[in-house]
Amino acid sequence: MQDKPENNRRRTIVNVSALYIVSLWPFLNFMDHNWGVMTGRILGYGHTVFAVCFLLAALLGGIFYKIGFARWCFVFCVLVPTVFLYGVLFSRLDPLLQAYAGYEYNGSERYNVNHAVDAVYGFLFLLAGLGAFRLSRVKDSHQLALVLALALAVLPASGIAGKLLHQGDNDNVQVAFATDKDFVKKPNVYLIAMDGYPRGDVIKDVFDYDNDVFLNQLEGYGFHVLKKAQANYPNTHLSMASTLQAAYLDRNSNPLFSAKWHAIVTGENASVRYFKDQGYAFALMESGIYALTKCVGLEDMCLSSPQFSLSEHEYALLRQTPWAFLKRLLPIKVYLTETGANLGKLRTHLSAKKPVQPFFLFAHTVPPHAPYAYNRDCSVKAQFDHGYAEALSGQGPAFFQGYLDNIICANKQGLEFAEYVTKNDPEAIVVLFSDHGSHFTMDWQSSTWNDRNIRERFSTLVAIRAPEACQQHLYDGMSNVNIMRFVFACLTDTAPDYLEDKSYYSSYVPDTPYYGEIITLEELKEGAASTVPDIVE
C-alpha cells in the first residue's frame, strides 16, 4: 500500500528540515568552539553543504524514482555527520593502532598517516550509508531523522546562545593607563607585528644564523633594537591583545574565547580609543590568512587581503573530514590562495591608498611564521600548502629550513620598509615587534620547559624608531605590554608609566597541560619536574 500524497509531502518536508539542520551542525559545533571569528563565512559553508546534498538528493531521486527524493535526504542526513566525524574517529583510534601509523610530508605539511584508521573509517562510512538506506524505508524514519538532527544541533546552539547572552560582559575592557593628557605632537604611528619573529640571540642559538647584519642596518635607519625584549604570552591572540590594551589580561577570562580577542585586536581596545580621541584615524592591515585580524568595520581604513583566501579556520574544518585521506589517494592539493600580509604589501597599500593623517596603523604580517611561502629572496615558492597548523608543533627539517628562509625574507622586507618610511614619513613613530618567538625547542605536550624552551618562545624582536628625546625611556628588557605605554609617553612628552615586566603561560593546543588556562611562570615551575629559570638571562 502506498502512502497518501499528504504523508509523502509531510515526510519530504521533515526530511529536508532534518537535512538542513544536520548540514549546519558541524559548523555550529565549530563556531561554538571558535566563537566570534568569521561567523558568517562558517555558516555559509553549512548552507553550501545543504544545497549540495539537496541537489544530489533531487538528482538521485530523479534517477532512482522508486526510491524518491525524501529517502535520499534521509541518507544524506546520516552521511553528513559521518563525514565530519572523521577527525574525532582518527584521534580516538590512532593511539590504539600505532603500529600502522606514520608521517608523510606534502610540501611544508607533515601529516599523520594511519591506514588502519582509514580502513575502519571507510568501513563505518559504508555501513552508515547502507544502514541509512535500509532505515529510510521504515515508516517513521523521517521523524527519527528530525529528532536526531535536533539532538545534534542543540548542544552547540545552546553554547552559542550562552556566549551571545554574556558577550557584553566578556567584551568589557578597562583602560589600564591614563588618557587625560593631550598629544603635544601628532606624527603617524605604525605598530607592525611580525608574527613569530625570534630575538637575535635566539636566532643564533636555535638556527645558527647571525642576524646582526639586519639588526645593525635597522639601527642605521634610526631604530633602537631592544637586546632582551620578551613577550608576555606565548601565543598570538593573547600577546597582541595585551600589547594593544597595554595591560595584562584578566587571568579569570577564557583565553580561548575568540570573540573577545578578535574584538580587541581589530580595534576595540584602549590604544585605538585614545588615538581616536586625539583625532587620529585607525588603519588596520589584516593578515589575510589568520582570521584573528580580519577587518570588521571598527577601522577607518582596511588594508585588505583578497576577498577569499583560505584561513586557519577552513583548514581546521577540513581536518574534521577525510580530506587528508583523500589527498593521499587522489590528485588533490590544497594551496593557499594568498601568501599572507607582509611588509612589501604594506608598502604597496600605503603608496596606493594614502591613509588620512595623522593615523595609527596596526599591521599583522605573517613571515617568518608559517606557512613558509617565501624563498630567502622573497620570491614565492613554486608550491606551498596550508600546512601551517602542523607547523605550530612540527620540528622536522622542512619546517626548520622554511622558518629560516622566511626570517631572511622578513629581514629583506623589513629593511625595504625602513627605507620607505624614512623617506616618506620621517617624523613617524615605527614599532616592529613580534608577538612571540619560534617553537623548535619547545613541546606543548610537556609541562616541563627548560631555560632554552622558554627563552626561544618568549624572546621577541622589538625595534622602535622614535624621536631621540623619547628613546632615553627605552630599556633592553622591555616586554610587549609596555610598548604602547612608551608610545603614548612620547606623544604626550611625559615619562612612561611602565608596568612590571612579567610573562604568563597558556596553551591553545587541545589535550595539553594548561589548555584554556592562564598561569604564571611560577605556577609552571611548581607543576614542572625540573626548575624553569627566568626568561631573560
Side-chain angles (χ1 to χ4, degrees), residues 130-147:
L130 291 174
F133 184 78
R134 292 183 64 85
L135 188 59
S136 68
R137 293 186 298 183
V138 176
K139 180 179 179 181
D140 295 326
S141 61
H142 61 292
Q143 297 175 351
L144 176 63
L146 185 59
V147 169

Side-chain angles (χ1 to χ4, degrees), residues 450-496:
N450 61 30
D451 178 40
R452 195 181 185 203
N453 305 150
I454 294 179
R455 182 164 162 264
E456 181 190 4
R457 188 62 178 182
F458 283 84
S459 298
T460 58
L461 168 73
V462 176
I464 300 177
R465 186 179 185 275
E468 286 188 21
C470 302
Q471 291 200 12
Q472 63 177 315
H473 297 300
L474 293 172
Y475 59 99
D476 276 343
M478 191 171 84
S479 64
N480 290 358
V481 74
N482 284 319
I483 288 175
M484 296 310 299
R485 289 172 178 266
F486 165 80
V487 170
F488 291 130
C490 186
L491 295 174
T492 56
D493 198 17
T494 58

Side-chain angles (χ1 to χ4, degrees), residues 88-371:
V88 175
L89 182 69
F90 195 102
S91 65
R92 296 294 184 271
L93 290 181
D94 185 47
L96 302 176
L97 301 170
Q98 288 183 350
Y100 302 94
Y103 289 93
E104 291 182 6
Y105 283 87
N106 182 6
S108 66
E109 181 180 356
R110 176 178 185 261
Y111 53 84
N112 199 351
V113 175
N114 194 321
H115 298 297
V117 173
D118 290 337
V120 171
Y121 172 79
F123 173 75
L124 292 176
F125 184 84
L126 181 62
L127 193 64
L130 291 174
F133 184 78
R134 292 183 64 85
L135 188 59
S136 68
R137 293 186 298 183
V138 176
K139 180 179 179 181
D140 295 326
S141 61
H142 61 292
Q143 297 175 351
L144 176 63
L146 185 59
V147 169
L148 292 177
L150 290 170
L152 276 175
V154 68
L155 187 61
S158 61
I160 292 171
K163 291 177 176 65
L164 279 170
L165 291 173
H166 294 93
Q167 186 172 2
D169 295 336
N170 284 313
D171 286 345
N172 185 28
V173 289
Q174 302 296 321
V175 177
F177 52 88
T179 59
D180 56 344
K181 297 180 177 65
D182 290 333
F183 296 174
V184 297
K185 45 185 173 290
K186 293 187 177 181
N188 297 322
V189 178
Y190 302 75
L191 180 67
I192 302 170
M194 301 173 70
D195 203 317
Y197 195 109
R199 205 170 62 199
D201 56 326
V202 172
I203 294 177
K204 179 64 177 175
D205 178 32
V206 176
F207 299 91
D208 194 26
Y209 180 81
D210 188 348
N211 209 37
D212 285 349
V213 173
F214 165 66
L215 299 177
N216 291 337
Q217 287 181 300
L218 267 187
E219 290 178 338
Y221 284 110
F223 285 82
H224 186 104
V225 179
L226 307 185
K227 301 296 191 264
K228 294 184 177 180
Q230 62 191 68
N232 306 107
Y233 300 89
N235 32 49
T236 300
H237 58 293
L238 300 183
S239 180
M240 293 203 298
S242 173
T243 300
L244 288 161
Q245 285 290 87
Y248 292 105
L249 307 175
D250 183 357
R251 288 185 56 199
N252 295 320
S253 61
N254 179 4
L256 305 176
F257 187 24
S258 300
K260 178 175 184 177
W261 314 121
H262 183 224
I264 291 174
V265 169
T266 54
E268 188 58 47
N269 61 69
S271 294
V272 168
R273 286 198 293 271
Y274 196 5
F275 274 116
K276 287 194 171 186
D277 287 345
Q278 295 296 314
Y280 275 65
F282 171 46
L284 175 66
M285 183 181 183
E286 57 187 29
S287 74
I289 291 174
Y290 303 112
L292 177 68
T293 48
K294 184 76 175 174
C295 293
V296 293
L298 297 173
E299 70 288 340
D300 297 299
M301 174 176 286
C302 177
L303 306 181
S304 179
S305 60
Q307 289 301 308
F308 183 85
S309 60
L310 289 177
S311 75
E312 81 275 22
H313 279 180
E314 279 90 353
Y315 188 71
L317 280 166
L318 285 173
R319 283 171 57 84
Q320 300 306 308
T321 71
W323 183 259
F325 169 58
L326 292 173
K327 281 206 301 180
R328 299 196 296 273
L329 298 179
L330 303 173
I332 301 173
K333 302 286 185 183
V334 176
Y335 297 115
L336 292 174
T337 57
E338 223 272 336
T339 57
N342 58 54
L343 286 169
K345 293 180 181 178
L346 176 57
R347 284 190 297 116
T348 301
H349 280 312
L350 291 173
S351 298
K353 296 192 176 182
K354 306 289 185 186
V356 175
Q357 300 193 28
F359 62 79
F360 167 58
L361 166 71
F362 174 55
H364 180 199
T365 64
V366 176
H369 196 286

